[in-house]
Amino acid sequence: MWAGLGLVLALCLLPGGGTEIQNCKEAPEWRIGEENPMLNSRGSVTVVALLQDLRVKLENEGLVNIWYMVVNHKGTYSQRKFHLLKESVSDHITVYQQDEKQADVWTTLNGNKDDFLIYDRCGRLVYHLGLPYSFLSFQYVEESIKIAYCENKCGNCSYTIIDVLQLV
């Protein structure tokens, strides 16, 4: 455990890039059916996107307690392909299908296709990355997650890395 903690603390000292929108505002409320995914994510750095390979890489580097989710587009075509999306991601990534009767989550989050929204442990938006910054072949997404994980970009948060590691 101490080796993992040392790695996490070392990663937290890495300088971050100047990656795109940083708002530090709490996520707007959105729901999938009766569930409020952001409310359930408190205490974890939260990434709203599709990150199967990056998730494993970050866990292997000692960054644990990161919650990944995908919100499928509300359009008819995307809804028909939902089962394919769900099958294509890891079991560790929650995939949500929007309810036709509810407000569009993508609109609520001011998001577009291939966007990554990265929130701190207190549910505040740290980065909103759109194309081309959301291409996983670049380091922007990974570095943004590490910054949200290791730094207090949006000020103090009642959840800390040490508190989270004690829960593991």
Side-chain angles (χ1 to χ4, degrees):
M1 175 181 148
W2 291 111
L5 176 60
L7 178 59
V8 168
L9 293 176
L11 287 170
C12 290
L13 298 175
L14 291 174
T19 45
E20 309 345 290
I21 300 172
Q22 175 188 335
N23 292 347
C24 297
K25 295 178 186 171
E26 285 201 33
E29 185 170 323
W30 54 276
R31 296 182 176 279
I32 302 293
E34 295 300 313
E35 186 173 353
N36 179 338
M38 290 304 298
L39 184 62
N40 297 335
S41 72
R42 291 296 164 94
S44 299
V45 170
T46 303
V47 179
V48 180
L50 175 59
L51 293 172
Q52 184 172 358
D53 295 332
L54 184 56
R55 179 191 61 81
V56 173
K57 179 179 188 259
L58 291 174
E59 283 181 3
N60 289 338
E61 292 179 6
L63 279 75
V64 296
N65 199 30
I66 299 175
W67 189 35
Y68 300 88
M69 70 175 92
V70 175
V71 178
N72 194 25
H73 190 264
K74 196 172 183 173
T76 305
Y77 179 78
S78 295
Q79 288 193 9
R80 282 197 311 257
K81 299 293 184 180
F82 176 71
H83 67 283
L84 296 174
L85 173 61
K86 196 159 175 75
E87 290 170 6
S88 70
V89 301
S90 163
D91 292 336
H92 302 290
I93 299 175
T94 306
V95 181
Y96 291 101
Q97 177 60 59
Q98 298 189 59
D99 185 327
E100 292 179 9
K101 297 175 183 126
Q102 292 179 308
D104 180 40
V105 174
W106 285 29
T107 301
T108 300
L109 298 176
N110 197 25
N112 294 301
K113 183 182 181 305
D114 300 320
D115 282 4
F116 287 81
L117 291 89
I118 302 167
Y119 296 88
D120 68 7
R121 289 174 181 82
C122 287
R124 299 172 297 197
L125 181 64
V126 179
Y127 292 107
H128 180 164
L129 302 173
L131 292 173
Y133 300 101
S134 60
F135 285 128
L136 292 177
S137 56
F138 299 136
Q139 294 296 310
Y140 296 110
V141 173
E142 182 177 346
E143 289 301 315
S144 296
I145 293 170
K146 288 178 180 178
I147 289 167
Y149 193 92
C150 298
E151 298 179 16
N152 290 326
K153 280 292 226 195
C154 296
N156 289 333
C157 177
S158 59
Y159 301 99
T160 64
I161 295 172
I162 303 301
D163 292 338
V164 170
L165 288 175
Q166 289 175 350
L167 296 174
V168 176

